[in-house]
Amino acid sequence: QTRIFGTKIPLCQRRARAECVAVYEQIEKNGKDIEYDDLSKFVFLRRCITESLRLWNVAMIVFSRVSSAPERVTGLNNQQVEIPKGTRFNFWYYGQHHSRDLWGEDALIFNPDREFKNHELQRGDHTEPELVAFTPVTERFHPFSMPRRDCLGKNFAFLEMRLLISRLLQNFHIELAGPTREDANVQVGTGEVYTRWAKSSDGLVQPEKMMLQLIPVKNDPLKRSSL
């Protein structure tokens, strides 16, 4: 996810870094270490993570299911489709996460400021405080699959992302390095880089290998370290 909002969108990286610096300065001012309750303070960072997971979700497809009873669903052009008992089917999460009907005309564009629902941001208020501990699952957004057979480590993954990325952004400016520099020009659903990713994997997922260049924000910007 760092690849998308950290390196492709410089303005988003600067906004997220300003937020992370402010949160950690307040924590240090209070003389304590970061705690679980502090994670909700990374408001814009959480939006960036959510939007990254929407564009490149963890589970593009899941294990197929078998219908336990006859069903009738609405298909193309509002036509009713009969599904017999015992039909094997699957969910195409990628299609839902990139649907213009569900997300608007900018569905293929990285936009952390889009109108997310509270569930999708793990954001609760006084009426729904429990949402801060729930992994996002809505009718249009479910990056870690869906209950009851979803990812066991999903909540820990969200915790890790906010802790790790916030510390990286607090201390470093992040750029793509080496042969992965060309990935900065990738466009979801089209283009040579995207096509290569799709063909070289078992599904529409990001390649695991990438190179990042970390530039200490407190030092000379020309003094760079690589990861």
Side-chain angles (χ1 to χ4, degrees):
Q1 309 312 320
T2 307
R3 175 198 299 268
I4 298 179
F5 83 81
T7 60
K8 184 174 173 58
I9 315 294
L11 178 59
C12 292
Q13 182 178 169
R14 290 195 293 270
R15 286 177 61 187
R17 176 179 299 109
E19 177 181 79
C20 294
V21 169
V23 170
Y24 280 114
E25 283 182 349
Q26 186 60 48
I27 291 173
E28 293 170 3
K29 182 178 179 180
N30 294 335
K32 65 182 186 69
D33 294 326
I34 188 169
E35 299 175 352
Y36 181 79
D37 289 343
D38 293 319
L39 296 180
S40 61
K41 300 174 183 176
F42 296 110
V43 178
F44 183 69
L45 176 62
R46 185 67 183 83
R47 284 181 163 273
C48 290
I49 292 173
T50 298
E51 179 70 344
S52 297
L53 287 171
R54 183 187 70 81
L55 287 173
W56 296 100
N57 53 294
V58 177
M60 295 293 182
I61 57 175
V62 295
F63 296 115
S64 58
R65 313 288 172 85
V66 176
S67 58
S68 58
E71 296 283 352
R72 175 180 291 182
V73 299
T74 302
L76 292 176
N77 301 318
N78 292 320
Q79 292 183 346
Q80 294 298 301
V81 180
E82 300 287 343
I83 301 179
K85 176 182 178 180
T87 300
R88 187 178 297 275
F89 64 95
N90 209 325
F91 302 98
W92 193 40
Y93 296 167
Y94 180 91
Q96 290 177 306
H97 283 194
H98 296 76
S99 168
R100 289 185 173 87
D101 291 337
L102 297 175
W103 296 97
E105 290 302 314
D106 66 343
L108 299 183
I109 298 174
F110 180 82
N111 176 20
D113 291 315
R114 70 174 64 253
E115 291 296 325
F116 289 110
K117 301 176 182 179
N118 281 345
H119 290 62
E120 295 163 347
L121 292 171
Q122 285 184 306
R123 182 179 61 198
D125 53 27
H126 67 282
T127 62
E128 298 176 304
E130 71 280 358
L131 290 184
V132 297
F134 278 10
T135 301
V137 176
T138 66
E139 68 277 3
R140 65 176 186 170
F141 183 68
H142 26 74
F144 285 85
S145 186
M146 300 179 71
R148 291 172 285 181
R149 296 182 177 89
D150 52 354
C151 176
L152 293 175
K154 56 191 179 180
N155 286 316
F156 182 66
F158 274 113
L159 183 150
E160 276 191 320
M161 281 188 282
R162 281 178 285 185
L163 283 176
L164 177 60
I165 296 175
S166 64
R167 282 299 190 186
L168 281 175
L169 291 177
Q170 179 193 19
N171 294 286
F172 298 99
H173 173 77
I174 305 172
E175 294 181 357
L176 292 173
T180 53
R181 285 185 184 275
E182 63 185 85
D183 295 352
N185 298 319
V186 66
Q187 295 184 26
V188 177
T190 185
E192 180 180 347
V193 175
Y194 178 88
T195 302
R196 188 181 74 247
W197 287 3
K199 288 183 176 180
S200 64
S201 64
D202 293 329
L204 299 175
V205 297
Q206 288 185 172
E208 294 182 2
K209 295 181 180 179
M210 72 173 177
M211 298 177 64
L212 295 178
Q213 197 166 36
L214 305 183
I215 307 171
V217 295
K218 294 183 179 180
N219 298 341
D220 185 338
L222 297 179
K223 185 178 180 181
R224 305 183 179 192
S225 56
S226 297
L227 175 64

